[in-house]
Amino acid sequence: MESVPAVFAGAVFGLFGAGLLAWTGARAAHREPVAYGARPVTSVVIAGAAGAGALALAVWCFGQI
């Protein structure tokens, strides 16, 4: 019963991280801004780090099961 929250949190972090990385990659590939008003390289790096961090949290949550 205690693994249900870990599975839910892992799924949420995994979906968010994968979606953010896919969206960031698609925007960067088409040379469109990831964040308006920010430098393109900086916004790609920060969004990529946030996506990778979310995926790392998903792996950690699934490891708690």
Side-chain angles (χ1 to χ4, degrees):
M1 189 67 166
E2 295 173 356
S3 65
V4 173
V7 170
F8 179 74
V12 169
F13 281 127
L15 288 173
F16 175 75
L20 184 59
L21 284 176
W23 180 80
T24 302
R27 298 287 289 188
H30 290 103
R31 302 243 185 233
E32 296 176 1
V34 174
Y36 291 107
R39 293 182 180 168
V41 173
T42 305
S43 61
V44 168
V45 169
I46 291 174
L55 285 178
L57 281 172
V59 169
W60 181 78
C61 286
F62 287 131
Q64 298 299 312
I65 299 174

